[in-house]
Each structure stands twice: as C-alpha cells, then as structure tokens.
C-alpha cells in the first residue's frame, strides 16, 4: 500500500477564466420560437419556460409573421425571436428580412438557429438582420447566455434606473 498526502489550500479568489454562476431571468419575457422540427420545439420551449419565459410557437416563417402581426395589433412586439433558418413554406432568412424592413421590428432581437457551422452561413444570417446565431444541437447554457444580453430591459428595471 502506498499513500501520498498533498496538502493544498482552497482559494477563495476566482481565477480569470472561472465561470461565475449564471441564472437567466426570463420572467415576463415573450419569446417567439420559429422552428419546424417538433422535437426541437419541445426541447427549446421547455428550456425557456423553465426560466419563466412566455413562449409562442410557429412552425414556419408565415406563421411567425402572423404571430408578430397579432402582437402588433396590441401595439406590442416579442422581446426576442428564435428563428430557424431552414423551414418549409418560408425560411428564416426571408422571414427575418421581411421583419427588418419594418421599422416597428428594427429593435426586436432575432437569433438564428441553424445546424450549419460554416462561417459563411453564420454571415448570411447576420447580413439579413439576425442579431446572433446559435448552432444546433441546442445547448442550454449556450442558448441562455446568448439570449440574455439581447433582451430589452423590463419596464420595472427602467423605472428603478430612472
């Protein structure tokens, strides 16, 4: 039997590359999830709802445009749109381009979802007006850390700051 004792002291300081705990705040957030794959819809919606988001589903770009128009009739827009690129009926690039043509939606955050990891495909998404692109399969932490900074401040946050 051979025993080695190595004394060490636990540091209370964070190293520069250590991750800080991250708790996303999605309460009171309206998110439009535009995704044609039912499994992806279920997984992503479950993640978002777990953190308090109000999720609206659309299976293609035409449904997404109708959902946006419905909210617009109430003088509201979604806080964020998660937009799949490749869908039947109308794809995410065309849908994003249509939304970005309308000044009402110019500040609405749109995040692309794609299985492609090619830099050119990411650039295509950004050029039509997507704010960010997330590759599939969707990782919970990557999704949440990507969308959190894109969300507009809540009205209650603005009142406290002002």
């Amino acid at each position: 039997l051979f025993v080695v004792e190595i004394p060490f002291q636990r540091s209370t300081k964070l190293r520069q590359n250590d991750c800080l705990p991250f708790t996303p705040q999605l309460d009171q957030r309206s998110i439009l999830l535009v995704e044609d794959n039912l499994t992806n819809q279920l997984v992503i919606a479950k993640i978002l709802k777990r953190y308090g988001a109000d999720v609206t589903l659309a299976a293609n770009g035409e449904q997404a445009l109708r959902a946006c128009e419905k909210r617009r009739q109430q003088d509201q827009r979604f806080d964020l749109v998660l937009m799949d690129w490749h869908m039947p009926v109308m794809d995410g690039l065309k849908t994003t381009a249509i939304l970005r043509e309308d000044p009402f939606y110019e500040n609405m955050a749109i995040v692309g979802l794609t299985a492609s990891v090619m830099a050119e495909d990411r650039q295509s998404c950004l050029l039509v007006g997507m704010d960010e692109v997330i590759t599939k399969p969707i990782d919970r932490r990557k999704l949440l850390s990507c969308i959190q900074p894109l969300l507009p401040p809540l009205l209650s946050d603005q009142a406290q700051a002002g």
Side-chain angles (χ1 to χ4, degrees):
L1 183 64
F2 175 30
V3 176
V4 176
E5 288 186 29
I6 303 174
F8 73 95
Q9 188 174 20
R10 183 174 296 238
S11 173
T12 57
K13 295 180 181 178
L14 288 174
R15 293 186 312 260
Q16 186 173 2
N17 293 331
D18 285 347
C19 292
L20 296 173
F22 175 68
T23 306
Q25 300 298 319
L26 300 180
D27 292 339
Q28 304 175 40
R29 301 307 190 145
S30 60
I31 298 177
L32 175 60
L33 172 57
V34 189
E35 168 65 65
D36 63 313
N37 181 288
L38 184 58
T39 302
N40 288 341
Q41 275 187 0
L42 293 171
V43 169
I44 297 168
K46 184 176 181 179
I47 292 169
L48 297 171
K49 288 177 181 180
R50 178 182 296 156
Y51 292 96
D54 176 27
V55 180
T56 300
L57 299 174
N60 59 59
E62 283 186 1
Q63 289 180 8
L65 293 175
R66 283 197 297 270
C68 287
E69 185 57 32
K70 185 177 178 182
R71 287 188 70 89
R72 184 181 189 156
Q73 290 171 358
Q74 301 165 3
D75 199 33
Q76 297 176 353
R77 63 181 73 68
F78 289 98
D79 292 314
L80 183 121
V81 178
L82 291 170
M83 182 78 69
D84 186 21
W85 177 347
H86 299 288
M87 297 178 289
V89 184
M90 183 185 297
D91 70 26
L93 294 182
K94 183 172 183 179
T95 307
T96 299
I98 291 170
L99 289 170
R100 290 301 190 219
E101 287 174 1
D102 187 333
F104 187 77
Y105 300 113
E106 68 185 351
N107 294 322
M108 183 174 66
I110 301 175
V111 175
L113 303 174
T114 181
S116 175
V117 295
M118 302 293 292
E120 299 84 23
D121 292 338
R122 175 181 168 77
Q123 192 62 27
S124 295
C125 292
L126 298 174
L127 285 173
V128 297
M130 292 182 182
D131 298 288
E132 187 56 79
V133 181
I134 301 174
T135 55
K136 297 176 188 177
I138 299 298
D139 172 78
R140 178 184 59 87
R141 287 186 179 165
K142 183 171 60 172
L143 172 67
L144 296 171
S145 65
C146 173
I147 66 174
Q148 188 74 45
L150 295 173
L151 292 168
L154 291 171
L155 294 176
S156 60
D157 294 343
Q158 290 175 343
Q160 291 174 358

